[in-house]
Amino acid sequence: MKQDFAVLGLGMFGGSICRELSKEGKQVLAVDINEDKVNEFKNIASHAVIADTTDEDTLRELGIKSIDHVIVAIGENIQASILTAVILTDLNIKKITVKAQNDYHEKILNKIGVDEVVHPERDMGKRIAHHIISSNVLDYLELSDEHSIVEVKAGRKMAGRTLIELDIRNKYGCNVVAIKKGKDINVSPASNEAIQADDILIVVGTNNDISKFERHLVVD
Ligand code: ATP
């Protein structure tokens, strides 16, 4: 059967991707050089294979060329990750996602021309830092180097006030693009409706403006 995805490297990150994709009913080829790791995924992935992904012939034999999306989740061994990425780009795989271990690794992966470089430790670190500063910051996601989106609990400083009164766009340069009230989400929030302390605001802006907004309006 045709595999939808291949996950190369079954550490914490690759293993978690493999589990989730399989749970969603996708056909996943799981590959690792370590036999114990592969055995862990025998009953999870559609195929689990012991192989060294830095060997082009092995990858070809595994039918990697017919897989639309390959995820390289080899972190520690940067050399193996880069070599695997080079082979995959040479094989013209439709979509390649590679986990970067550090900024230097990320730079090289971008130079090689992989489609997507992810940096889960760094991104998660940023999200947790924002949550540590205020537990009312529920999530934080970078949209680009300059722009981010945050999900914040309104809390006591915004409670009982309307978007007009808070004047977030003028004062902080950010936009409240949606307000969640329990399970309901309003994607064009009324400017004259009072916000409740438990409401969740989704706010977009530049990183500087978001920081300003968080400092002034988001309190524990
Ligand atoms: P994570 O940070 O996701 O937890 P990890 O620290 O568990 O990762 P890493 O060393 O980053 O593990 O590598 C992820 C997996 O990649 C390991 O299970 C390792 O055996 C596998 N791996 C390393 N080199 C190769 C290779 N050349 N071919 C196939 N798999 C490899």
Side-chain angles (χ1 to χ4, degrees), residues 77-160:
N77 188 345
I78 292 179
Q79 195 174 324
S81 162
I82 293 170
L83 195 47
T84 304
V86 170
I87 296 169
L88 294 172
T89 48
D90 279 352
L91 291 174
N92 286 321
I93 304 293
K94 232 182 198 168
K95 180 147 192 205
I96 307 166
T97 298
V98 187
K99 174 194 164 181
Q101 193 73 4
N102 54 45
D103 291 346
Y104 167 72
H105 189 187
E106 182 172 9
K107 219 172 180 170
I108 293 173
L109 293 169
N110 282 323
K111 276 250 177 341
I112 294 166
V114 307
D115 302 291
E116 185 178 42
V117 179
V118 292
H119 213 316
E121 283 95 349
R122 185 190 61 192
D123 294 347
M124 190 48 86
K126 282 187 187 175
R127 289 160 95 160
I128 291 173
H130 281 260
H131 185 64
I132 287 169
I133 291 168
S134 166
S135 60
N136 277 346
V137 176
L138 305 177
D139 208 351
Y140 174 93
L141 187 70
E142 275 191 354
L143 298 175
S144 71
D145 283 348
E146 285 176 17
H147 294 85
S148 298
I149 186 162
V150 279
E151 196 179 55
V152 299
K153 200 156 137 201
R156 60 185 156 84
K157 228 172 172 178
M158 288 187 263

Side-chain angles (χ1 to χ4, degrees), residues 12-65:
M12 284 281 249
F13 179 71
S16 161
I17 290 188
C18 185
R19 276 199 181 84
E20 220 46 41
L21 291 172
S22 303
K23 219 162 76 183
E24 294 295 321
K26 304 293 179 196
Q27 297 290 315
V28 184
L29 169 67
V31 183
D32 202 289
I33 204 165
N34 179 317
E35 185 178 356
D36 292 340
K37 294 266 171 173
V38 173
N39 284 337
E40 249 182 75
F41 287 86
K42 280 249 154 77
N43 297 322
I44 297 168
S46 46
H47 272 78
V49 179
I50 306 165
D52 180 350
T53 62
T54 60
D55 185 72
E56 182 170 343
D57 293 337
T58 306
L59 286 182
R60 280 181 190 273
E61 278 162 27
L62 286 173
I64 206 92
K65 276 191 78 148

Side-chain angles (χ1 to χ4, degrees), residues 2-6 29 62-70 93-95:
K2 186 183 181 305
Q3 311 290 314
D4 301 309
F5 298 93
L29 169 67
L62 286 173
I64 206 92
K65 276 191 78 148
S66 67
I67 298 177
D68 290 340
H69 193 164
V70 179
I93 304 293
K94 232 182 198 168
K95 180 147 192 205

